[in-house]
């Protein structure tokens, strides 16, 4: 055996030791989430085998059909964290309102916001899907968590991460001390450190966007994508296109290989003038991760981390990935709208 084996528990604990005043609550919360991720991963890997596949026939708050696995992932995260005394309130992409901590359990110092199973329209096709989470601190004074605790800008996050259920299951997280990735070893049931201190390249090789929406984008976004495809050998263009259509998978690929993911605002659906993705459950946590990895996230005009949320399920245009490329996208939007 050559390399040191570092479990996620040991890694989180070692990070905590750098902060002598830390109480261990955040450490324990991250560990609770890792445990929930293992349980969700187990069910996802059986998705093609058991009757859990198929639609429940209900619609979520975004008007999308909810699959059973989404419900399972949502319930698992709630069940693994609500009783611990570490959380004051939760919110999920699947649930229209706040998820309060039941009165029978103590109230904690943290807020958990999550997308339990992102990319779920891909489940039936065996495409990678993921769980995204964001942890904020309780800022309200009352005995329980409030909507105001959830509606905090991304730069206030205490931690964020995602789990990708792909060819292997990986958990990637940050507490503001770099980005670290762990691969689940299913034979021992542990997440082991496989990608310490992830840094994303400052320039992309790949761009990821649903180009079927081209005709619905603004002039600036259209021109930017044309620019990425135009040949200029010295400048490293054209870029290669990669679009899985599953945010966590697209983001993870670009984080490691260098790339820009975009979900711009479009005029296709007048109900969704701000694009498709949600600020609190998708854009803000991934923005925290990409910034810690040396990249950037923008809504086309300003850093995602600075956007003040106004409602739980708010959508936001997203340009995220290699720094120079996000800068360039903003430049096109500034010039051409
Ligand atoms: P899905 O609809 O499968 O849940 O956030 C939702 C999401 O997937 C993202 O994971 C993905 O990046 C995006 O939507 C794909 O949307 P399009 O089908 O419009 O490209």
């Amino acid at each position: 055996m050559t390399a040191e084996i570092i479990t996620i528990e040991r890694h989180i604990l070692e990070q905590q030791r750098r902060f002598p005043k830390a109480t261990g609550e955040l450490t324990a919360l991250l560990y609770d989430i890792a445990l929930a991720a293992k349980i969700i991963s187990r069910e996802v890997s059986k998705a093609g085998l058991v009757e859990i596949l198929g639609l429940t026939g209900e619609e979520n708050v975004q008007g999308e059909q909810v699959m059973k696995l989404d419900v399972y992932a949502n319930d698992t995260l709630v069940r693994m964290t609500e009783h611990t005394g570490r959380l004051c309130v939760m919110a999920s992409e699947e649930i229209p309102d706040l998820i309060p901590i039941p009165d029978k359990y103590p109230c904690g110092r943290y807020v958990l916001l999550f997308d339990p199973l992102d990319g779920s329209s891909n489940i039936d096709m065996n495409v990678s899907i993921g769980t995204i989470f964001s942890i904020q601190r309780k800022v309200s004074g009352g005995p329980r968590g409030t909507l105001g605790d959830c509606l905090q800008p991304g730069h206030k996050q205490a931690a964020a991460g995602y789990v990708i259920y792909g060819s292997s299951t990986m958990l990637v997280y940050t507490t503001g001390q770099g980005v670290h990735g762990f691969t689940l070893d299913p034979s021992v049931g542990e997440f082991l450190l496989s990608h310490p201190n992830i840094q994303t390249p400052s320039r992309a090789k790949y761009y990821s966007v649903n180009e079927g929406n081209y005709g619905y984008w603004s002039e600036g976004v259209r021109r930017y994508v044309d620019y990425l495809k135009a040949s200029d050998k010295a400048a490293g263009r054209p870029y290669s296109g990669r679009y899985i259509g599953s945010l966590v998978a697209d983001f993870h690929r670009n984080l490691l290989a260098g790339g820009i993911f975009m979900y711009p605002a479009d005029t296709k659906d007048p109900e969704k003038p701000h694009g498709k993705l949600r600020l609190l459950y998708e854009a803000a946590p991934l923005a925290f991760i990409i910034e810690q990895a040396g990249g950037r996230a923008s809504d086309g005009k300003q850093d995602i981390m600075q956007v003040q949320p106004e409602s739980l399920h708010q959508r936001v245009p997203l340009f995220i990935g290699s720094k120079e490329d996000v800068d360039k996208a903003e430049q096109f939007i500034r010039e051409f709208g």
Side-chain angles (χ1 to χ4, degrees):
M1 213 178 279
T2 49
E4 201 182 358
I5 295 178
I6 301 178
T7 63
I8 196 164
E9 188 177 21
R10 173 174 161 195
H11 191 268
I12 297 172
L13 269 170
E14 282 174 4
Q15 292 239 318
Q16 183 201 316
R17 281 195 202 111
R18 295 189 191 173
F19 301 93
K21 284 192 187 146
T23 60
E25 261 180 81
L26 181 61
T27 301
L29 175 55
L30 286 166
Y31 195 66
D32 297 337
I33 293 169
L35 190 53
K38 287 190 225 175
I39 296 171
I40 297 168
S41 174
R42 187 190 61 195
E43 290 308 304
V44 169
S45 69
K46 292 192 293 190
L49 297 171
V50 288
E51 284 213 343
I52 202 156
L53 259 188
L55 305 172
T56 60
E58 293 163 23
E59 287 200 340
N60 71 9
V61 270
Q62 323 293 343
E64 301 156 335
Q65 283 189 302
V66 179
M67 292 184 154
K68 273 191 178 170
L69 217 43
D70 301 34
V71 177
Y72 181 85
N74 188 79
D75 292 355
T76 302
L77 274 157
V78 172
R79 270 191 297 125
M80 297 303 291
T81 52
E82 66 177 356
H83 63 277
T84 59
R86 303 190 239 283
L87 293 178
C88 62
V89 67
M90 285 185 249
S92 161
E93 194 246 338
E94 290 295 333
I95 308 289
D97 301 317
L98 292 178
I99 306 171
I101 302 301
D103 287 341
K104 61 182 172 184
Y105 300 130
C107 177
R109 296 196 294 142
Y110 291 100
V111 180
L112 179 62
L113 304 144
F114 58 91
D115 183 348
L117 216 50
D118 185 76
S120 51
S121 62
N122 292 301
I123 298 171
D124 280 340
M125 277 64 79
N126 207 357
V127 171
S128 300
I129 48 180
T131 297
I132 311 174
F133 63 90
S134 161
I135 299 173
Q136 292 277 11
R137 296 178 183 85
K138 183 176 190 290
V139 285
S140 63
R144 296 269 141 181
T146 64
L147 181 61
D149 291 316
C150 296
L151 300 183
Q152 299 188 63
H155 68 88
K156 301 258 183 180
Q157 288 172 102
Y162 63 86
V163 185
I164 177 165
Y165 311 102
S167 44
S168 52
T169 296
M170 270 191 78
L171 188 150
V172 176
Y173 86 98
T174 186
T175 52
Q177 304 294 310
V179 179
H180 310 285
F182 299 78
T183 302
L184 182 63
D185 180 340
S187 63
V188 291
E190 280 287 0
F191 279 109
L192 305 178
L193 182 63
S194 52
H195 296 66
N197 287 314
I198 299 172
Q199 283 290 303
T200 199
S202 60
R203 270 208 59 196
K205 286 189 193 144
Y206 301 99
Y207 74 101
S208 310
V209 69
N210 183 347
E211 245 179 298
N213 293 334
Y214 186 92
Y216 301 108
W217 295 335
S218 70
E219 168 94 13
V221 176
R222 283 205 299 260
R223 285 202 190 215
Y224 175 61
V225 171
D226 292 342
Y227 161 85
L228 295 179
K229 295 195 294 186
S231 177
D232 181 345
K233 221 171 171 192
R237 289 184 285 120
Y239 284 12
S240 277
R242 293 285 188 283
Y243 189 66
I244 302 164
S246 182
L247 176 62
V248 174
D250 280 307
F251 177 84
H252 184 70
R253 190 180 193 291
N254 288 343
L255 176 71
L256 299 182
I260 177 165
F261 174 95
M262 297 169 259
Y263 209 109
D266 64 49
T267 54
K268 190 165 69 177
D269 185 346
E271 301 275 299
K272 298 176 187 168
H274 304 296
K276 182 178 184 188
L277 303 179
R278 295 81 173 165
L279 174 59
L280 291 178
Y281 318 111
E282 295 172 312
L286 296 184
F288 191 14
I289 293 168
I290 204 75
E291 283 200 2
Q292 283 292 311
R296 268 201 73 200
S298 166
D299 67 359
K301 289 184 185 149
Q302 62 170 327
D303 279 344
I304 291 286
M305 296 281 269
Q306 301 303 325
V307 179
Q308 173 61 50
E310 277 157 22
S311 62
L312 272 185
H313 296 283
Q314 180 174 337
R315 295 175 195 265
V316 72
L318 182 62
F319 301 82
I320 189 166
S322 296
K323 185 177 175 319
E324 289 174 28
D325 298 275
V326 176
D327 291 348
K328 196 75 178 174
E330 277 185 340
Q331 190 190 319
F332 272 87
I333 291 166
R334 251 193 325 271
E335 271 179 46
F336 301 105

